[in-house]
Amino acid sequence: MYFPHFSNFNGDSMEKLRLRQAQLLIEEAGKSKTACEKLKSPKEGKINACLYSEIINELIEAEEFIYSSRPSHKLNEKDSNLFCTKIIGVRNKIDKILADFSVIEKESVEEEIKKLSENILILTTKSNFKKSFSKFGVDPQRIVVAGVPLEVEDMKILNPKIPDAALKGIEKKIEHVKNDIQRKVSDLNLDKILVIVETDKAGEILAKRAKELYNANIIAFDNLKDITAEEFKNIIY
Amino acid sequence: MECKEYGLTRSAERDNLNLNPLQRGGVLPLEAKKALLEYADGYSVCDYCAGRLDEIPTPSITGFLDDLAKFINVDEVRTTHGARESKFAIMHSLCEPGDTVIVDGNAHYTTHLAAERNRLKMIEVPNNGHPEYKITPEGYKETLENAIDKGIDVKLALLTHVDGNYGNLTDAKKIGGVAHKEGVPIILNCAYSMGRLPIDAKDLNMDFVVGSGHKSMAASGPIGVLGIKEDYTDKILQVSKRHQVKEIEMLGCTSRGAPIVTLMASLPHVAERVKHWDEKVKKTRNFVSQMEEIEGITQVGIRPKEHDLTRFETPVFDKIAEKHPRRGFFLYEELKKRNVVGIKRGQTKWFKCSVYGFSEEQINYIADSFKEIVEKYKEYL
Ligand SMILES: Cc1ncc(COP(=O)(O)O)c(C=O)c1O
């Protein structure tokens, strides 16, 4: 993904980031897997056909390494990381399919959300929302609350009567939020920004600017406090 | 009935570096492999067909053909079953049995067969012989003018853009001009060029360009491209009187399913790769210079290379073969041991090959393999 406003994101550092991300993913996968997993007899279940097709596509992507490494099929450290990340991704999806047939334990929704949100920075408008997303399993570090819009002129849309003096303070806050976003994306190797807001004016304005500035994906709900963990998982999926 | 084991695995491609020029440009990129799985079934693209393959909206064959026409700069484009079928269709609609066509001396056998099947006479423009085997605009002009002087009504001309024997790139623009000066419509056979290097039919003075999806456009075969200049679209794409939406030369519909969707899925990849043709040529030249470090190996055809298909004369391997217990098979077997394939078994006097699509590292490995083999048998020299 491309962040047009992150001046330090040239091709090279992007490459490094991807590599680091792959390494983190592999470390994470290492932590969560038990050495020997007991497989149970399958129970009735439903094939997640969509997931199945994703698995096939990801295996085709991984197959490219076979061709690029011909004839020895040896991979250097960088490519090993990228190749194994793909394979681990496939393994996680296979696990999900097996869990749907009770062959292995289903992960808790919170665990799933934690994994799914590993590479995402969530941008929202209220601390309350941050609290509920954290409860669903998102690492709080990966959430930024923008109590202000991302451009100072947007504040005038929200509050046309705002005195100019107050705008100075808002400008400072905006700078702080933007720095926070940039720092987190960079430190935590995040590759996607997701704006999750309510369909109110503040939400709409934040979403529009974040799309412009960060090419963020937008999700808006009428009432965020009513959503369940399961629904939340599906929206970030 | 009990069927035999047909041997339908192709691990050869996963394990080896295949130098056969025929194979290099048809390798599917990722997107095409995915599309292949989605559309593997027979009439998979036909769910939303209202009678015309080229107008199918989902998947957007119609949108794809618009893009393809822009990609090669023609007024109208169709997909066929191959470059040969495209050539056949043009000859069939423009000529009558007994008519004469002019073709270059490096033309592919499928050009000859397309003419034969249409019962056409052929006049050939000779190449300039060893070691270049070049087709020149002057030579083309001379042969065409001589024919016309003899009162022959030349109905159609064909030029092979890049031939399959020497990988020589012809001066299409000039030769297109030569044909037009005599009022003869001309086809450019781009089987070895469309999808590898940029093609601009109008700039090249061509009335028709034909391409091969499986040869140079990263598609599963069989599929070809037929690009047509406006002046000829009505004639070539004439519809049936009885089945009024069906185009006769296309026999209604041409390649469906896997061939067309892979060609479609590959177009963005192919459009991007032609922009880097210079780098590909540079890699080939580098390969040639590494190969020519071996005494007794010489590249023939135009020098320096302007295309990846390369022909080498290799007396050094022929000499080794004379004394080697495996005779002419030694080269193939030694290469195979090093996971390099694609040179014909038993062939040692000369061979054709291509390193198109391989990395610098892989190209060096291939050149080193040849060097190693010569070194191994140096006592036979
Ligand atoms: C110069 C040339 N023209 C045409 C063809 C045939 O192409 P297709 O298989 O698409 O008919 C080839 C294939 O080897 C070729 O080299």
Side-chain angles (χ1 to χ4, degrees), chain B residues 22 82-84 87 108 110 160 162 164 189 191-192 212 214-215:
Chain B
L22 205 66
R84 67 194 77 194
K87 291 181 280 189
H108 193 247
T110 55
T160 313
V162 175
N189 176 9
Y192 255 119
S212 175
H214 42 277
K215 186 183 280 295

Side-chain angles (χ1 to χ4, degrees), chain B residues 36-78:
Chain B
L36 178 61
L37 271 181
E38 290 292 306
Y39 282 92
D41 295 339
Y43 283 100
S44 55
V45 298
C46 305
D47 291 330
Y48 298 94
C49 181
R52 278 276 289 271
L53 178 74
D54 56 297
E55 291 172 359
I56 291 176
T58 314
S60 183
I61 293 181
T62 169
F64 160 72
L65 291 177
D66 284 347
D67 291 344
L68 184 59
K70 281 189 205 123
F71 176 59
I72 54 176
N73 197 14
V74 292
D75 297 313
E76 200 60 68
V77 73
R78 290 291 182 274

Side-chain angles (χ1 to χ4, degrees), chain A residues 53-111:
Chain A
S53 123
E54 281 175 28
I55 291 170
I56 292 183
N57 279 336
E58 281 171 34
L59 279 175
I60 294 175
E61 284 164 22
E63 190 187 344
E64 291 300 295
F65 286 94
I66 295 182
Y67 299 103
S68 60
S69 62
R70 278 173 302 174
S72 69
H73 294 158
K74 283 187 192 145
L75 300 181
N76 61 23
E77 193 183 346
K78 183 182 128 208
D79 286 342
S80 301
N81 266 301
L82 297 174
F83 175 71
C84 291
T85 308
K86 282 249 168 285
I87 299 292
I88 288 167
V90 167
R91 185 165 92 159
N92 289 339
K93 286 181 177 159
I94 290 177
D95 281 354
K96 280 205 186 96
I97 289 185
L98 290 175
D100 289 340
F101 289 91
S102 310
V103 174
I104 59 175
E105 292 288 332
K106 236 189 176 70
E107 261 180 350
S108 69
V109 186
E110 288 74 19
E111 254 326 294

